Amino acid sequence: MKECNGRNNQRFISRRDLLYNTTQGIGGLALAYLLGQDRLLGAPENTGQKSCVGSAGVTDSPFLPKPSHFPARAKSVISLFMCGGVSHVDTFDYKPMLIKYHGQPLTGKGEVTVRQGFPGPLMKSPYAFKQYGQSGKWVSDLFPNVGALVDDMAFIHSAQGKSVDHTLSTYEWNTGMIIAGYPSVGSWITYGLGSENQNLPAFVVIQDPRGGPFTGPSQWSSGFLPAAYQGTMFRAAGDAVLDLHPPSGSLDLDQQRAELDQLARMNENYVEAHPGISELTARISSYELGFRMQDCAPEAVDIDSESEETKRLYGLNEKISEPFGRQCLMARRLIERGVRMVQLWNGAVVNQNVDTWDAHSNIVTNHGQHAAEVDKPIAGLLIDLKRRGLLDETLVTWQSEFGRMPLSQKGVGRDHNPGAMTVWMAGAKIKGGQTIGASDEFGWKAEQQIVPAHDLHATMLNLIGMDHKRLTYFYNGRNMRLTDVAGELIPQIVA
């Protein structure tokens, strides 16, 4: 099979290109906003015959389906990212030794370095743990609904990052690198596979209604990949897609189609004369996608059409879980319609110690709030996917940017800990009820079968049919990869 690479784009990026590229791409264009701004948005077609699934009638799109390297176990990905740093030792990584040695100093582990400079003694979890399922997996009472589903999930207790900083760690787990400018996982996936639905974006991001994560859109950037592969942001509150409906006095459908065709012809000539510049291609492709989304996006995000039972399943009937419940329900509707990847964010950098999982001040109040926001919606998502026959063909991942210290911070909080973190995966025919790897007896450092970001990313690509060593893009003199020059498959996941 021919490798997926970008050898026709062998050029170095200029400063002007960089500045231009950061303002372009599908994330800012495909929402039909620019169609309205450029007055190219017409009334939606209403023939009663249009299909909102598949690729029928679309012959020129960067998101047309591409062959996988080998048979895939999953068609789509839902990434659940908890912004701020979830404490593994208070959620899914049970540590009885923290109870035994509560209040004593951490010894025998080398130098203790913390982010904010207040290392206290070992602190037991304030939450009770109990065993769930046939696997007997220990889960804290923060996640009773998710705990009931542990036999469908594989827990990785030995994920380990490189940085103690929120921004750098979030980059690492979203792009494989701890610095900005690299493509996100979703961008690599859609670059490699395209999408099964040409009437919706291939890669959708739904952030917390309170606001965005650390550095915002750069976490779903296309980096040096063509600009079209950047994530498209939908909203879970209010209008999911801004400016989707045509403004009054706009061109009619036939006029709009003629304008778009003429623009495409003009810009094709420019692109031919300036090979390797993706911005115009991305803009035209976004115009076309926005044109098609007028028909298809309203139905795709119409959560109100769901049954009352389904809404309750996702927690939409409870104030605290309703926002993330809407995100999860929208994700299910999107992947059901062929969207390749949906990333959901919980936690917003507004009041950081309150609105994210960053529990420096108080682990009880912080994690109590955020777990209540996401526990029921996540369980509802997994249950709903399974009963609809979608779980086996959907990869669901849950993670944060790092774990938290087993030490107390000022007696009630916990500081950052990139040395150990829990990640879990479900769906994609993964064997459930597994526990993979382990942190040490206190949760200080990953100790058995350490899983860095590159290993997680290599495994994710494998599950959707892509060889991480063959998914490349030629840039700055070499073939670039999501996994750089590293990455090993997690054997228990791909077995």
Side-chain angles (χ1 to χ4, degrees):
M1 178 178 287
K2 186 176 181 180
E3 293 188 13
C4 192
N5 59 56
R7 288 189 175 275
N8 292 327
N9 296 282
Q10 301 183 24
R11 73 182 186 100
F12 293 86
I13 191 168
S14 68
R15 181 168 57 184
R16 177 177 296 177
D17 287 340
L18 175 65
L19 292 172
Y20 186 72
N21 189 51
T22 57
T23 63
Q24 305 302 313
I26 195 168
L29 303 173
L31 303 183
Y33 172 73
L34 288 179
L35 291 174
Q37 294 296 300
D38 293 347
R39 301 196 61 77
L40 292 173
L41 193 63
E45 185 177 8
N46 187 22
T47 65
Q49 304 295 319
K50 182 176 176 62
S51 172
C52 283
V53 296
S55 305
V58 181
T59 59
D60 184 17
S61 166
F63 304 114
L64 287 171
K66 302 171 188 176
S68 60
H69 293 145
F70 42 78
R73 286 167 50 173
K75 294 180 181 179
S76 54
V77 179
I78 298 176
S79 166
L80 309 172
F81 204 101
M82 309 293 107
C83 175
V86 177
S87 173
H88 53 301
V89 297
D90 294 299
T91 51
F92 301 113
D93 196 359
Y94 179 47
K95 296 299 178 184
M97 297 298 279
L98 285 180
I99 300 174
K100 181 176 180 180
Y101 290 97
H102 175 71
Q104 298 185 32
L106 176 66
T107 59
K109 299 293 184 180
E111 183 181 0
V112 176
T113 303
V114 295
R115 173 70 169 173
Q116 293 195 354
F118 302 101
L122 292 167
M123 182 174 75
K124 67 181 181 181
S125 177
Y127 300 103
F129 279 73
K130 75 174 187 177
Q131 291 178 286
Y132 286 86
Q134 293 184 354
S135 60
K137 173 64 184 168
W138 290 92
V139 177
S140 86
D141 56 15
L142 280 172
F143 283 98
N145 292 289
V146 171
L149 305 175
V150 294
D151 290 336
D152 291 324
M153 303 154 71
F155 290 86
I156 302 167
H157 289 311
S158 51
Q160 187 174 84
K162 298 177 180 178
S163 175
V164 75
D165 179 78
H166 286 290
T167 295
L168 303 186
S169 294
T170 308
Y171 280 143
E172 181 180 10
W173 292 99
N174 278 288
T175 72
M177 298 294 183
I178 62 171
I179 57 175
Y182 287 83
S184 61
V185 175
S187 297
W188 278 109
I189 288 174
T190 52
Y191 162 67
L193 290 175
S195 178
E196 294 186 342
N197 190 336
Q198 302 306 304
N199 302 295
L200 293 169
F203 172 25
V204 173
V205 177
I206 309 175
Q207 67 181 24
D208 192 307
R210 288 168 292 207
F214 296 95
T215 73
S218 62
Q219 299 295 349
W220 48 89
S221 166
S222 61
F224 48 72
L225 291 178
Y229 297 108
Q230 179 175 308
T232 298
M233 195 173 77
F234 279 19
R235 302 194 309 166
D239 292 335
V241 184
L242 293 175
D243 298 298
L244 182 64
H245 300 291
S248 60
S250 60
L251 302 176
D252 64 32
L253 185 64
D254 291 338
Q255 291 172 323
Q256 180 186 355
R257 182 68 266 168
E259 289 260 356
L260 288 173
D261 289 344
Q262 179 60 28
L263 275 175
R265 285 190 292 268
M266 295 171 64
N267 284 291
E268 282 171 5
N269 293 334
Y270 185 87
V271 169
E272 288 177 4
H274 301 82
I277 297 179
S278 67
E279 291 85 358
L280 270 177
T281 303
R283 189 176 185 89
I284 293 302
S285 114
S286 297
Y287 281 161
E288 295 290 347
L289 177 58
F291 177 77
R292 297 190 297 271
M293 282 174 64
Q294 293 175 77
D295 280 322
C296 300
E299 184 277 334
V301 299
D302 183 14
I303 290 174
D304 291 338
S305 66
E306 296 283 341
S307 70
E308 291 304 312
E309 182 273 336
T310 299
K311 294 175 185 176
R312 289 193 299 273
L313 179 67
Y314 283 83
L316 268 63
N317 60 321
E318 299 176 30
K319 183 177 180 180
I320 194 164
S321 55
E322 188 266 344
F324 199 70
R326 293 182 66 86
Q327 290 173 254
C328 288
L329 184 49
M330 194 177 295
R332 190 223 78 204
R333 292 180 64 87
L334 290 171
I335 64 103
E336 198 172 32
R337 288 156 177 77
V339 172
R340 185 69 71 186
M341 179 163 175
V342 181
Q343 185 174 50
L344 308 182
W345 292 81
N346 176 258
V349 186
V350 182
N351 183 346
Q352 185 172 317
N353 287 342
V354 174
D355 296 323
T356 76
W357 291 77
D358 199 16
H360 292 283
S361 300
N362 191 303
I363 193 75
V364 172
T365 57
N366 179 283
H367 277 33
Q369 171 193 332
H370 289 286
E373 291 172 356
V374 304
D375 176 46
K376 192 170 185 178
I378 291 173
L381 173 64
L382 294 178
I383 292 169
D384 205 15
L385 289 173
K386 189 172 184 177
R387 71 184 184 181
R388 291 170 181 268
L390 293 171
L391 187 59
D392 275 352
E393 61 186 43
T394 305
L395 172 62
V396 182
T397 67
W398 180 96
Q399 69 178 97
S400 194
E401 65 264 39
F402 39 59
R404 304 201 81 84
M405 290 287 181
L407 313 173
S408 71
Q409 181 175 1
K410 296 184 177 180
V412 290
R414 295 193 194 275
D415 211 330
H416 307 173
N417 183 11
M421 177 175 71
T422 292
V423 174
W424 60 253
M425 307 174 83
K429 305 178 182 66
I430 296 170
K431 181 182 177 181
Q434 294 191 77
T435 294
I436 300 167
S439 60
D440 62 34
E441 70 272 29
F442 299 120
W444 165 248
K445 298 288 185 184
E447 196 169 69
Q448 300 175 22
Q449 194 181 340
I450 296 173
V451 176
H454 290 320
D455 288 7
L456 184 70
H457 294 157
T459 302
M460 291 174 65
L461 292 178
N462 178 275
L463 293 171
I464 60 169
M466 303 298 289
D467 182 343
H468 71 104
K469 295 180 180 179
R470 296 168 61 188
L471 181 62
T472 64
Y473 188 84
F474 195 85
Y475 175 74
N476 273 1
R478 72 178 179 97
N479 281 326
M480 307 292 283
R481 292 174 9 202
L482 171 61
T483 54
D484 195 33
V485 295
E488 298 291 337
L489 300 181
I490 303 170
Q492 300 96 320
I493 296 291
V494 300

